[in-house]
Amino acid sequence: MKKVDLLLGIFVTGIWGANFSVIKLGLGALDPFLLTSLRFTLCFLPLIFFVKKPDVRLSIIALYGLLFGVGLWGIVNLGIYLGLSAGIASLILQFSAFFTIIFAAFIFGERISKSQIAGMSVAFAGLISILAVTDGSVSTMGVALVIFGAICWSSCNIIVRKNKPANMLAFIVWSSLFSALPLFLITFLVKGPEPFHGLLQALNGMAVFSIMFQSYITTIFGYWIWNSLMKKYPASSVAPLSLFVPVSGLITSWLVFDERIAFGKIIAAILILSGMAIFIYAKSIEQYFGDRIARRDPPRSGAP
């Protein structure tokens, strides 16, 4: 990966980590699905009138928008709303790196090695240890919802890799239309007209900041860069950059909400990040040890 692309990827994942705290700020004033729908409304309005439809079938754009808007961010916002801390949510969502590579193995025929299975096992041990945290920052339902969001994000990564839209900005703008509309509908079906009636009163400065940051910084800029990298490089090269998201997420949650980083959380974070690192860099690890064994025991020539 080129240095400039690497730095852009790290910068974007840093923004994404901070975004979980920004989401929580917005959830103090707005319903989770309404907050998410407003985020994606600003992503496609008014840009959709000035950006030509991308060179991808409308059904693919709609599927991406539904998975990305509802399946990923609508569900993750709901998980945070139900009590999961911003820092823990940022950590758990990184399981998408596993699912991305697993899905790529089934769809593109990439092999999953024993080292990758070992890395996955270590990370899941960390996930189980998170459920034992009792400081009020973890809810079982919240964890389950964010895991579901991670699966949806992985599916979005595969859609981008398989279809390779030429204009990523246009792809984000047009897919946001298919994110916002279902989210508005879900808000109405679940809560009725009440969230809409009180919208103007609820839109305080913090809520407006949250929506603007999520729309323009996190989504349009961040996913434009991320999806461009997914299109340009193999999933195994881009996915490791997401390891920085929980680092940024935990630090930001500590700074903004004074989230207590207890010993149990540190152990869980170490297990999850270590497992992900083993999983993602498994091929390099196997090659390194394979080369060492080969140098130690060179093949013998001639008869025994």
Side-chain angles (χ1 to χ4, degrees), residues 11-20 153 217-219 222-223 226 245 248:
F11 180 63
V12 164
T13 53
I15 289 173
W16 285 351
N19 185 60
F20 289 88
W153 188 11
I217 305 299
T218 300
T219 307
Y223 283 94
W226 181 262
V245 173
S248 173

Side-chain angles (χ1 to χ4, degrees), residues 43-155:
C43 288
F44 82 85
L45 286 178
L47 288 174
I48 199 167
F49 297 110
F50 303 98
V51 177
K52 186 179 178 181
K53 175 185 165 296
D55 59 336
V56 178
R57 296 198 313 272
L58 194 62
S59 59
I60 297 297
I61 298 172
L63 177 61
Y64 181 92
L66 189 65
L67 287 170
F68 187 69
V70 180
L72 171 53
W73 288 113
I75 294 300
V76 168
N77 284 10
L78 180 60
I80 296 174
Y81 181 77
L82 292 177
L84 193 65
S85 76
I88 295 297
S90 70
L91 180 63
I92 296 173
L93 190 59
Q94 302 324 303
F95 275 84
S96 64
F98 288 133
F99 298 129
T100 296
I101 295 176
I102 291 171
F103 291 168
F106 280 104
I107 296 172
F108 302 113
E110 299 177 3
R111 186 179 67 88
I112 300 178
S113 67
K114 293 180 179 178
S115 297
Q116 288 176 317
I117 294 173
M120 194 185 308
S121 302
V122 172
F124 273 107
L127 179 62
I128 292 170
S129 68
I130 277 182
L131 297 176
V133 174
T134 58
D135 63 359
S137 63
V138 176
S139 70
T140 304
M141 179 58 72
V143 170
L145 289 171
V146 176
I147 286 290
F148 180 81
I151 293 172
C152 290
W153 188 11
S154 305
S155 302

Side-chain angles (χ1 to χ4, degrees), residues 199-255:
L199 179 58
L200 291 179
Q201 290 76 16
L203 282 174
N204 56 31
M206 200 62 72
V208 171
F209 166 75
S210 177
I211 294 167
M212 299 285 283
F213 186 94
Q214 291 180 67
S215 300
Y216 298 118
I217 305 299
T218 300
T219 307
I220 292 181
F221 174 74
Y223 283 94
W224 172 32
I225 297 298
W226 181 262
N227 287 343
S228 297
L229 295 178
M230 287 298 300
K231 183 180 74 171
K232 189 174 181 180
Y233 300 101
S236 57
S237 297
V238 181
L241 299 178
S242 65
L243 289 171
F244 187 61
V245 173
V247 177
S248 173
L250 287 166
I251 292 173
T252 308
S253 187
W254 169 65
L255 290 172

